[in-house]
Amino acid sequence: MKTITNLFKLALFIAIGIVPFAVNAHHSTTMFDRTQVVTITGVVKEVQWTNPHVAIFVSGAVKEGDEQSLWLMEMTSPGNLIRVGGWSRTAVKAGDKVVVEFFPLRNGGKGGALKKITETQTGKVYTADIFAQENANLEQSK
């Protein structure tokens, strides 16, 4: 009986030690300033279509004539984008000329939460409202 009690205590100790790391593994969207929307014009350099968040790297500038910078646009998961955003793995590709609207990072870094991206050559528009798409019951909110 003493062995079972000790094993239970050990399992409980391990679980208490692991839970904080699991909870901390996913960040919130508070790092984005949802009170402002920034627009850049540029060229897609890379698309990372992976879980937990799709990322698009765009070389662009806020104002015409500004120096081009590499911007990181974060979105929700591939599954959410496919279900409610009309996206596919090849919707936006490296080399595409785009106009991107996004919620900027609060710390002023070169990135943000992508809100809308428009391919300038085709006029095709994709939205990626990370805040709405990460809510429960996505299919019901269409």
Side-chain angles (χ1 to χ4, degrees):
M1 186 66 171
K2 186 176 179 182
T3 303
I4 293 173
T5 303
N6 286 339
L7 285 174
F8 177 75
K9 287 179 183 178
L10 178 63
L12 184 61
F13 178 76
I14 291 171
I16 289 171
I18 291 174
V19 169
F21 294 108
V23 170
N24 200 19
H26 189 98
H27 63 269
S28 72
T29 56
T30 59
M31 63 188 179
F32 305 115
D33 183 356
R34 294 178 58 192
T35 64
Q36 53 178 314
V37 176
V38 174
T39 302
I40 62 170
T41 302
V43 176
V44 174
K45 292 297 179 186
E46 181 181 355
V47 177
Q48 293 182 353
W49 189 264
T50 58
N51 278 314
H53 299 281
V54 173
I56 297 178
F57 293 86
V58 178
S59 178
V62 176
K63 297 178 194 160
E64 194 170 320
D66 282 357
E67 184 177 329
Q68 300 277 310
S69 298
L70 188 61
W71 297 77
L72 169 60
M73 299 298 138
E74 184 174 329
M75 296 185 289
T76 188
S77 70
N80 286 348
L81 289 172
I82 290 168
R83 275 195 309 275
V84 297
W87 289 76
S88 70
R89 178 182 291 274
T90 58
V92 177
K93 301 171 287 313
D96 287 349
K97 294 179 181 173
V98 294
V99 176
V100 181
E101 294 178 26
F102 62 98
F103 300 110
L105 289 167
R106 290 186 186 277
N107 68 6
K110 301 285 186 197
L114 189 132
K115 183 175 164 89
K116 180 171 87 171
I117 188 166
T118 305
E119 292 182 44
T120 57
Q121 292 176 319
T122 65
K124 182 72 177 162
V125 176
Y126 296 96
T127 60
D129 186 346
I130 191 172
F131 308 105
Q133 291 173 344
E134 290 191 340
N135 289 331
N137 302 316
L138 288 174
E139 288 79 11
Q140 296 172 7
S141 65
K142 282 186 177 180

